[in-house]
Amino acid sequence: MPHQLIYRSRLAAPRHLAGVPQLVLHAGRRNEALGITGLLIRMGEYFLQVLEGPASAVMALYDAIAADPRHTAVVLIRSEPVARRRFQSWHYVPVDGKGAAAQALVPLDAGDDDDDRVRGIVESFMDGAWSDPSPAPSPSAAFVPRHAPAPGPVALPPPTDATEVRFALQPIVEPGRRRVSSVEFLLRGPQGQAPTALLQGLSERQRHQQDLAWKALAFAEATRLDLPCRVAINLSPGALLSAPDAARALMAMAEAHGWAPGRVIVEITEEEAITQPDQFHLAVSDLKAAGFVTAIDDFGAGHAGLSLLAQFQPDKVKIDRMLVQDIHRTGPRQAIVRAVLDCCRRLGITVVAEGIESVEELAWLQAAGVQRFQGLLFARPLVGGMPPVRWPSSAVRREAGPALAGVQRSRVA
Ligand code: MN
Ligand code: MN
């Protein structure tokens, strides 16, 4: 069974353009020797290549291409076994214009079905859909290096009771404005356990009630820390439905600690099954009516996905780390995230990208229009206090100095 691999790439420098005819000639001979057929389209500085042949030969060739310094921004779009070769020989198509005339040059056999993914990918490439959203920002925009000593956490009084559940704090940041927009409270047991471990042995109803009750501790902690930004808490759909007036109970807890609902973001995970959609919708409406800011958490990780978004438009969508990881070199994730961004833009929903760990991921997402981020690149969750935030130097303003490596409370809004 042949393997088909499709990628796009970009010439590393315009000076390589002169070498392209030679490159193409060489590639054609090499592919013939390897039993690889396919298609290479060049549009300006961009290439789209379809490689078909024995899996091992195709993969080895792709690895060599990805490592070739003349290419940059190599994005894998598709790699899977196919029932038959789409191309019986090797084709090269340089395209200097867009539209139907250019597409006629591509040897895609007539009579194929409309669901042909190769055709779809080729056409979207020729429409510019696989071009970078803007001149790629330099990923070398230096962060404080990983091995540099991190500034210590902000000094704080110890929590009142060390045996209680605790919260690890992780900020959501807006690097373009060098601002912490909110801080998420992640529940932890006394030994750092995740909430699921703490709730073991309880009935479902007890779990939901406990989940709701612990939010009071989060508000108390937020007050103790005197946080100058919004606070984000996690609430399961079950907890939201466990009592008829859960939203009002939550509001009472928040206000008892001086937190107006407009300064509280309630994150609801997409992953948890929403078995009672009508009641869930009512409970969320109550949250909105009480003035809470709502967010769908871990968007893209669960099964509800777009159907959840279709019936529940939150103020925020947090894109799950699984979609963010390695996005700068993963075509399907790029396509999905761009669609989610477009959708959220149209619906006026703010997007947060979760799980950012590398400058390359950050650069791609910023170029695509994401402004808010959460992840280890900026700050690690810290129990009992606000963790220090690392900022990219490209976002450093003129007043910035080494002292700005930590959270600047005066700039937090
Ligand atoms: Mn969350
Ligand atoms: Mn999350």
Side-chain angles (χ1 to χ4, degrees):
M1 189 179 287
H3 193 89
Q4 184 186 71
L5 187 149
I6 307 178
Y7 73 90
R8 76 109 226 220
S9 68
R10 221 171 146 176
L11 274 181
R15 68 189 153 82
H16 293 311
L17 211 50
V20 166
Q22 191 61 35
L23 190 85
V24 167
L25 192 68
H26 171 74
R29 288 199 196 117
R30 176 201 57 200
N31 293 349
E32 200 179 340
L34 292 169
I36 291 175
T37 57
L39 171 70
L40 174 66
I41 305 175
R42 182 182 67 76
M43 225 173 55
E45 59 185 314
Y46 289 98
F47 292 94
L48 181 87
Q49 185 149 218
V50 183
L51 300 170
E52 294 176 334
S56 54
V58 167
M59 305 292 223
L61 179 56
Y62 176 69
D63 287 344
I65 291 167
D68 186 330
R70 289 170 296 185
H71 290 268
T72 183
V74 178
V75 172
L76 183 62
I77 298 173
R78 183 187 198 187
S79 177
E80 57 196 37
V82 286
R84 62 179 183 90
R85 285 179 193 245
R86 192 67 175 69
F87 301 93
Q88 297 307 316
S89 56
W90 179 250
H91 303 269
Y92 169 59
V93 183
V95 176
D96 293 316
K98 281 187 184 176
Q103 293 195 357
L105 297 171
V106 180
L108 291 167
D109 348 326
D112 277 298
D113 62 312
D114 290 341
D115 296 333
D116 179 4
R117 282 192 64 200
V118 176
R119 179 188 293 273
I121 290 169
V122 166
E123 287 176 355
S124 69
F125 173 75
M126 294 178 76
D127 286 342
W130 286 100
S131 304
D132 291 324
S134 71
S138 166
S140 64
F143 264 69
V144 180
R146 269 168 205 261
H147 55 266
V154 180
L156 292 162
T160 44
D161 184 355
T163 62
E164 279 286 353
V165 293
R166 314 188 55 189
F167 292 91
L169 275 59
Q170 191 177 30
I172 289 95
V173 300
E174 199 176 337
R177 294 169 66 191
R178 207 184 166 83
R179 190 178 84 103
V180 172
S181 62
S182 57
V183 177
E184 180 174 3
F185 278 59
L186 301 154
L187 189 69
R188 295 283 186 269
Q191 276 87 46
Q193 309 95 313
T196 42
L198 297 171
L199 293 167
Q200 259 171 14
L202 298 183
S203 73
E204 191 180 11
R205 186 174 168 74
Q206 286 171 322
R207 280 205 305 274
H208 292 150
Q209 287 175 340
Q210 183 61 75
D211 188 28
L212 188 61
W214 274 332
K215 300 308 175 251
L217 297 177
F219 295 126
E221 179 83 339
T223 301
R224 183 180 74 84
L225 297 174
D226 191 22
L227 293 175
C229 56
R230 293 205 280 199
V231 159
I233 57 164
N234 295 282
L235 198 64
S236 65
L240 207 50
L241 297 170
S242 64
D245 52 358
R248 214 172 326 139
L250 192 66
M251 184 159 75
M253 289 177 202
E255 289 183 336
H257 294 281
W259 287 88
R263 295 183 64 211
V264 177
I265 300 158
V266 181
E267 299 188 2
I268 298 157
T269 60
E270 183 215 29
E271 199 180 349
E272 291 199 60
I274 296 160
T275 49
Q276 302 160 281
D278 294 341
Q279 277 166 279
F280 173 74
H281 195 234
L282 279 176
V284 168
S285 300
D286 285 352
L287 280 180
K288 290 184 173 181
F292 287 108
V293 181
T294 54
I296 295 181
D297 200 1
D298 306 334
F299 188 79
H303 63 272
L306 294 172
S307 69
L308 177 61
L309 192 56
Q311 54 180 194
F312 163 47
Q313 285 88 55
D315 301 293
K316 292 171 191 292
V317 159
K318 296 181 80 179
I319 298 180
D320 189 66
R321 63 191 62 240
M322 289 301 291
L323 288 173
V324 165
Q325 190 178 36
D326 277 339
I327 193 162
H328 57 287
R329 54 183 174 202
T330 315
R333 289 179 200 164
Q334 293 183 359
I336 291 166
V337 168
R338 280 193 207 206
V340 170
L341 291 176
D342 188 40
C343 168
C344 289
R345 201 174 296 127
R346 283 161 202 262
L347 294 171
I349 296 169
T350 302
V351 172
V352 177
E354 295 187 296
I356 298 282
E357 294 189 4
S358 75
V359 284
E360 290 84 1
E361 292 163 353
L362 175 66
W364 192 92
L365 288 160
Q366 280 189 310
V370 180
Q371 291 173 3
R372 300 200 188 178
F373 302 90
Q374 186 177 22
L376 299 185
L377 185 62
F378 291 97
R380 215 164 256 292
L382 180 73
V383 172
M386 180 71 171
V389 178
R390 302 188 311 160
W391 298 105
S393 60
S394 57
V396 173
R397 305 236 168 103
R398 66 190 185 303
E399 71 267 37
L404 280 182
V407 178
Q408 295 299 292
R409 290 190 165 220
S410 61
R411 297 190 61 83
V412 167

